[in-house]
Coordinates of all heavy atoms in Angstrom, one line a residue:
M9 N -130.7 -38.3 109.9 CA -130.2 -37.7 111.1 C -129.4 -38.8 111.9 O -129.9 -39.8 112.2 CB -131.4 -37.3 112.0 CG -131.0 -36.7 113.3 SD -130.3 -35.0 113.1 CE -131.7 -34.1 112.5
T10 N -128.2 -38.4 112.1 CA -127.3 -39.4 112.8 C -126.7 -38.7 114.0 O -126.1 -37.6 113.8 CB -126.2 -39.9 111.9 OG1 -126.7 -40.5 110.7 CG2 -125.3 -40.9 112.6
I11 N -126.7 -39.3 115.1 CA -126.1 -38.7 116.3 C -124.6 -39.0 116.2 O -124.2 -40.1 115.9 CB -126.6 -39.4 117.6 CG1 -128.1 -39.2 117.7 CG2 -125.9 -38.8 118.8 CD1 -128.6 -37.7 117.8
V12 N -123.8 -38.0 116.3 CA -122.3 -38.1 116.3 C -121.7 -37.7 117.6 O -122.4 -37.1 118.5 CB -121.7 -37.3 115.1 CG1 -122.3 -37.8 113.8 CG2 -122.0 -35.8 115.3
D13 N -120.4 -37.9 117.8 CA -119.8 -37.4 119.0 C -119.9 -35.9 119.1 O -119.9 -35.2 118.1 CB -118.3 -37.7 119.0 CG -118.1 -39.2 119.1 OD1 -119.0 -39.9 119.7 OD2 -117.0 -39.7 118.8
A14 N -120.1 -35.4 120.3 CA -120.3 -33.9 120.5 C -119.2 -33.1 119.9 O -118.0 -33.5 120.0 CB -120.5 -33.7 122.0
F15 N -119.5 -32.0 119.3 CA -118.4 -31.1 118.8 C -118.9 -29.7 118.9 O -120.1 -29.4 119.1 CB -118.0 -31.4 117.4 CG -119.1 -31.2 116.4 CD1 -119.2 -30.0 115.7 CD2 -120.1 -32.2 116.2 CE1 -120.2 -29.8 114.7 CE2 -121.1 -32.0 115.2 CZ -121.2 -30.8 114.5
H16 N -118.0 -28.7 118.9 CA -118.4 -27.3 118.9 C -117.3 -26.5 118.2 O -116.3 -27.1 117.8 CB -118.5 -26.8 120.3 CG -117.3 -26.9 121.2 ND1 -117.0 -28.1 121.8 CD2 -116.4 -26.0 121.5 CE1 -115.8 -27.9 122.5 NE2 -115.5 -26.6 122.3
S17 N -117.5 -25.2 118.0 CA -116.5 -24.4 117.3 C -115.6 -23.7 118.3 O -116.1 -23.3 119.4 CB -117.3 -23.3 116.5 OG -116.4 -22.3 116.1
V18 N -114.4 -23.5 118.0 CA -113.5 -22.7 118.9 C -114.0 -21.3 119.1 O -113.8 -20.7 120.1 CB -112.1 -22.6 118.4 CG1 -111.4 -24.0 118.4 CG2 -112.0 -22.1 117.0
K19 N -114.8 -20.9 118.1 CA -115.4 -19.5 118.2 C -116.5 -19.3 119.2 O -116.9 -18.2 119.5 CB -115.8 -19.1 116.8 CG -114.7 -18.9 115.8 CD -115.1 -18.2 114.6 CE -113.9 -17.8 113.7 NZ -114.3 -17.2 112.4
E20 N -117.0 -20.4 119.7 CA -118.0 -20.3 120.8 C -117.4 -19.5 122.0 O -118.2 -18.9 122.7 CB -118.5 -21.7 121.2 CG -119.3 -22.5 120.2 CD -120.5 -21.7 119.8 OE1 -121.4 -21.5 120.6 OE2 -120.6 -21.4 118.6
D21 N -116.1 -19.6 122.1 CA -115.5 -18.9 123.2 C -115.7 -17.4 123.1 O -115.6 -16.7 124.1 CB -114.0 -19.2 123.2 CG -113.6 -20.4 124.0 OD1 -114.5 -20.9 124.8 OD2 -112.5 -20.9 123.9
D22 N -115.9 -16.9 121.9 CA -116.1 -15.5 121.7 C -117.5 -15.0 122.1 O -117.8 -13.8 122.2 CB -115.9 -15.1 120.2 CG -114.5 -15.4 119.8 OD1 -113.6 -15.4 120.7 OD2 -114.2 -15.6 118.6
K23 N -118.4 -16.0 122.3 CA -119.8 -15.6 122.6 C -120.1 -15.5 124.1 O -119.3 -16.1 124.9 CB -120.8 -16.7 122.0 CG -120.7 -16.8 120.5 CD -121.6 -17.9 120.0 CE -121.5 -18.1 118.5 NZ -122.3 -19.2 118.1
P24 N -121.1 -14.8 124.5 CA -121.5 -14.9 125.9 C -121.8 -16.3 126.3 O -122.3 -17.1 125.5 CB -122.8 -14.1 125.9 CG -122.8 -13.2 124.7 CD -122.1 -14.0 123.7
L25 N -121.5 -16.6 127.6 CA -121.6 -18.0 128.1 C -122.9 -18.6 127.7 O -123.0 -19.8 127.2 CB -121.4 -18.0 129.6 CG -121.3 -19.4 130.2 CD1 -120.1 -20.1 129.7 CD2 -121.2 -19.2 131.7
L26 N -124.0 -17.9 127.9 CA -125.3 -18.5 127.6 C -125.7 -18.7 126.2 O -126.6 -19.4 125.8 CB -126.4 -17.7 128.3 CG -126.4 -17.7 129.8 CD1 -127.4 -16.8 130.4 CD2 -126.6 -19.1 130.4
A27 N -124.9 -18.1 125.3 CA -125.1 -18.2 123.8 C -124.3 -19.4 123.2 O -124.5 -19.7 122.1 CB -124.8 -16.9 123.1
R28 N -123.4 -20.0 124.0 CA -122.6 -21.0 123.5 C -123.3 -22.3 123.3 O -124.1 -22.7 124.1 CB -121.4 -21.2 124.4 CG -120.5 -19.9 124.4 CD -119.4 -20.1 125.4 NE -118.7 -18.8 125.7 CZ -117.8 -18.5 126.6 NH1 -117.5 -19.5 127.4 NH2 -117.3 -17.3 126.7
R29 N -123.1 -22.9 122.1 CA -123.8 -24.2 121.8 C -122.8 -25.2 121.3 O -121.8 -24.9 120.7 CB -124.8 -23.9 120.7 CG -125.9 -22.9 121.1 CD -126.9 -23.5 122.0 NE -128.0 -22.6 122.3 CZ -128.0 -21.7 123.3 NH1 -126.9 -21.6 124.1 NH2 -129.0 -21.0 123.5
Y30 N -123.2 -26.5 121.6 CA -122.5 -27.6 120.9 C -123.4 -28.4 120.1 O -124.7 -28.2 120.2 CB -121.7 -28.5 122.0 CG -122.6 -29.4 122.8 CD1 -122.9 -30.7 122.3 CD2 -123.2 -28.9 123.9 CE1 -123.7 -31.5 123.1 CE2 -124.0 -29.8 124.7 CZ -124.3 -31.1 124.2 OH -125.1 -31.9 125.0
H31 N -122.9 -29.3 119.3 CA -123.8 -30.0 118.3 C -123.5 -31.5 118.5 O -122.4 -31.9 118.9 CB -123.5 -29.6 116.9 CG -123.5 -28.1 116.7 ND1 -124.7 -27.5 116.5 CD2 -122.6 -27.2 116.8 CE1 -124.5 -26.2 116.4 NE2 -123.2 -26.0 116.6
N32 N -124.5 -32.3 118.1 CA -124.2 -33.8 118.2 C -125.0 -34.5 117.1 O -125.3 -35.7 117.2 CB -124.6 -34.4 119.6 CG -126.0 -34.3 119.9 OD1 -126.8 -33.8 119.2 ND2 -126.4 -34.9 121.0
T33 N -125.4 -33.8 116.0 CA -125.9 -34.5 114.9 C -125.2 -34.1 113.6 O -124.6 -33.0 113.5 CB -127.4 -34.1 114.7 OG1 -127.6 -32.7 114.4 CG2 -128.2 -34.5 115.9
D34 N -125.2 -35.0 112.6 CA -124.4 -34.8 111.4 C -125.0 -33.9 110.4 O -124.4 -33.5 109.4 CB -124.0 -36.1 110.8 CG -125.2 -36.9 110.2 OD1 -126.3 -36.4 110.4 OD2 -124.9 -37.9 109.5
N35 N -126.3 -33.6 110.5 CA -127.0 -32.7 109.5 C -127.5 -31.4 110.0 O -128.3 -30.7 109.4 CB -128.1 -33.5 108.8 CG -129.2 -33.8 109.7 OD1 -129.0 -33.7 110.9 ND2 -130.4 -34.0 109.2
C36 N -127.0 -31.0 111.2 CA -127.3 -29.7 111.7 C -126.6 -28.6 110.9 O -125.4 -28.6 110.7 CB -126.8 -29.6 113.1 SG -126.9 -27.9 113.8
K37 N -127.4 -27.6 110.3 CA -126.8 -26.6 109.4 C -125.7 -25.8 110.2 O -124.7 -25.5 109.6 CB -127.9 -25.7 108.9 CG -128.7 -26.4 107.8 CD -129.4 -25.3 107.0 CE -130.0 -25.9 105.7 NZ -130.9 -27.0 106.0
I38 N -126.0 -25.4 111.4 CA -125.1 -24.6 112.1 C -123.8 -25.4 112.3 O -122.7 -24.9 112.1 CB -125.7 -24.1 113.5 CG1 -127.0 -23.4 113.2 CG2 -124.7 -23.2 114.2 CD1 -127.8 -23.2 114.5
G39 N -123.9 -26.6 112.7 CA -122.8 -27.5 112.9 C -122.0 -27.7 111.6 O -120.7 -27.7 111.7
Q40 N -122.7 -27.8 110.5 CA -122.0 -28.1 109.2 C -121.2 -26.9 108.8 O -120.3 -27.0 108.0 CB -123.1 -28.4 108.2 CG -123.6 -29.8 108.3 CD -124.7 -30.1 107.3 OE1 -125.2 -29.2 106.6 NE2 -125.1 -31.4 107.2
E41 N -121.6 -25.7 109.3 CA -120.9 -24.5 108.8 C -119.6 -24.2 109.6 O -118.9 -23.3 109.3 CB -121.9 -23.3 109.0 CG -122.9 -23.2 108.0 CD -123.9 -22.1 108.2 OE1 -123.8 -21.3 109.2 OE2 -124.9 -22.0 107.4
I42 N -119.4 -25.0 110.6 CA -118.1 -24.9 111.3 C -117.0 -25.5 110.5 O -117.0 -26.7 110.2 CB -118.2 -25.6 112.7 CG1 -119.3 -25.1 113.5 CG2 -116.8 -25.5 113.4 CD1 -119.6 -25.8 114.8
P43 N -116.0 -24.7 110.1 CA -114.9 -25.3 109.3 C -114.1 -26.3 110.1 O -114.1 -26.2 111.3 CB -114.0 -24.1 109.0 CG -114.9 -22.9 109.3 CD -115.8 -23.3 110.3
D44 N -113.5 -27.3 109.4 CA -112.8 -28.3 110.1 C -111.8 -27.8 111.1 O -111.6 -28.3 112.2 CB -112.1 -29.2 109.1 CG -113.0 -30.3 108.5 OD1 -114.1 -30.4 109.0 OD2 -112.6 -30.9 107.6
E45 N -111.1 -26.7 110.7 CA -110.0 -26.2 111.5 C -110.5 -25.5 112.8 O -109.8 -25.2 113.7 CB -109.1 -25.2 110.7 CG -109.8 -23.9 110.2 CD -110.3 -24.1 108.8 OE1 -110.7 -25.3 108.4 OE2 -110.5 -23.1 108.1
E46 N -111.8 -25.2 112.8 CA -112.4 -24.5 114.0 C -113.2 -25.5 114.8 O -113.8 -25.2 115.9 CB -113.3 -23.4 113.6 CG -112.6 -22.2 112.9 CD -113.5 -21.2 112.4 OE1 -114.8 -21.3 112.6 OE2 -113.1 -20.3 111.7
R47 N -113.3 -26.8 114.4 CA -114.1 -27.7 115.0 C -113.3 -28.4 116.2 O -112.2 -28.9 116.0 CB -114.5 -28.8 114.0 CG -115.5 -29.8 114.5 CD -116.1 -30.5 113.2 NE -116.7 -31.8 113.6 CZ -117.8 -32.3 113.0 NH1 -118.3 -31.6 112.0 NH2 -118.3 -33.4 113.4
V48 N -114.0 -28.5 117.3 CA -113.3 -29.1 118.5 C -114.2 -30.2 119.0 O -115.4 -30.1 119.1 CB -113.2 -28.0 119.6 CG1 -112.4 -28.6 120.8 CG2 -112.4 -26.8 119.1
E49 N -113.6 -31.3 119.4 CA -114.4 -32.4 119.9 C -114.9 -32.1 121.3 O -114.2 -31.3 122.0 CB -113.5 -33.7 120.0 CG -113.1 -34.2 118.6 CD -114.3 -34.7 117.8 OE1 -115.2 -35.3 118.3 OE2 -114.4 -34.4 116.6
G50 N -116.0 -32.6 121.7 CA -116.5 -32.5 123.0 C -117.6 -31.4 123.1 O -117.9 -30.7 122.1
N51 N -118.3 -31.4 124.2 CA -119.5 -30.4 124.3 C -119.1 -29.1 125.0 O -119.9 -28.2 125.0 CB -120.6 -31.1 125.1 CG -120.3 -31.4 126.5 OD1 -119.4 -30.8 127.1 ND2 -120.9 -32.4 127.1
G52 N -117.8 -29.0 125.4 CA -117.4 -27.7 126.0 C -118.2 -27.2 127.2 O -118.0 -26.1 127.6
D53 N -119.0 -28.1 127.8 CA -119.9 -27.8 128.9 C -120.9 -26.7 128.4 O -121.4 -25.9 129.2 CB -119.1 -27.3 130.1 CG -118.4 -28.4 130.8 OD1 -119.0 -29.6 130.7 OD2 -117.4 -28.2 131.5
Y54 N -121.2 -26.7 127.1 CA -122.1 -25.7 126.6 C -123.5 -26.3 126.5 O -123.7 -27.5 126.8 CB -121.7 -25.2 125.2 CG -120.4 -24.6 125.1 CD1 -119.6 -24.7 123.9 CD2 -119.8 -24.0 126.2 CE1 -118.4 -24.1 123.8 CE2 -118.5 -23.4 126.1 CZ -117.8 -23.5 124.9 OH -116.6 -22.9 124.8
T55 N -124.5 -25.5 126.0 CA -125.9 -26.0 125.9 C -126.0 -26.7 124.5 O -125.4 -26.2 123.5 CB -126.8 -24.8 125.9 OG1 -126.6 -24.1 127.1 CG2 -128.3 -25.3 125.8
L56 N -126.8 -27.8 124.4 CA -127.0 -28.4 123.2 C -127.7 -27.5 122.2 O -128.7 -26.9 122.6 CB -127.8 -29.7 123.4 CG -128.1 -30.5 122.1 CD1 -126.9 -31.0 121.4 CD2 -129.0 -31.7 122.5
C57 N -127.3 -27.4 121.0 CA -127.9 -26.6 120.0 C -129.4 -27.0 119.8 O -129.7 -28.1 119.8 CB -127.1 -26.6 118.7 SG -127.9 -26.9 117.2
E58 N -130.2 -26.0 119.5 CA -131.7 -26.2 119.4 C -132.0 -27.2 118.2 O -132.9 -28.0 118.3 CB -132.4 -24.9 119.2 CG -132.5 -24.1 120.5 CD -131.3 -23.3 120.8 OE1 -130.3 -23.4 120.1 OE2 -131.3 -22.6 121.8
D59 N -131.3 -27.0 117.1 CA -131.6 -27.9 116.0 C -131.2 -29.3 116.3 O -131.9 -30.3 116.0 CB -130.7 -27.5 114.8 CG -131.4 -26.3 114.1 OD1 -132.4 -25.8 114.6 OD2 -130.8 -25.8 113.0
C60 N -130.1 -29.5 117.0 CA -129.6 -30.9 117.4 C -130.6 -31.4 118.4 O -130.9 -32.6 118.4 CB -128.2 -30.8 117.9 SG -126.9 -30.5 116.7
A61 N -131.1 -30.6 119.3 CA -132.0 -31.1 120.3 C -133.3 -31.6 119.8 O -133.9 -32.5 120.4 CB -132.3 -29.9 121.3
E62 N -133.7 -31.2 118.6 CA -134.9 -31.7 117.9 C -134.8 -33.0 117.2 O -135.7 -33.6 116.8 CB -135.4 -30.6 116.9 CG -136.0 -29.4 117.6 CD -136.4 -28.4 116.5 OE1 -136.3 -28.7 115.3 OE2 -136.8 -27.2 116.9
A63 N -133.5 -33.4 117.1 CA -133.2 -34.7 116.4 C -133.8 -35.9 117.1 O -133.9 -35.8 118.4 CB -131.7 -34.8 116.2
Ligands
LIG119 ZN1 -126.5 -28.3 116.1

């Protein structure tokens, strides 16, 4: 488990505000499924993903 710079998917914008998540670990499955072209640096002012929060 490695903490990395916060990132999120551009597709979070399509979700309801309270469902939007960002990630900050390198082995989060949800984070890993974000394709490079959809990956955006920063937390987007979203909620930290539950998997990343357990890190
Ligand atoms: Zn995550």
Side-chain angles (χ1 to χ4, degrees):
M9 182 69 69
T10 304
I11 302 293
V12 299
D13 290 339
F15 65 95
H16 61 279
S17 167
V18 292
K19 292 192 169 176
E20 291 301 295
D21 272 347
D22 297 337
K23 299 179 183 175
L25 187 60
L26 292 177
R28 295 174 190 172
R29 297 288 183 270
Y30 75 92
H31 310 274
N32 68 354
T33 62
D34 66 352
N35 67 339
C36 168
K37 284 203 168 54
I38 305 166
Q40 285 175 349
E41 286 176 0
I42 302 174
D44 279 350
E45 64 269 25
E46 293 174 7
R47 188 166 160 145
V48 184
E49 294 297 317
N51 64 23
D53 287 332
Y54 303 152
T55 304
L56 179 60
C57 130
E58 286 78 0
D59 282 2
C60 290
E62 289 176 6

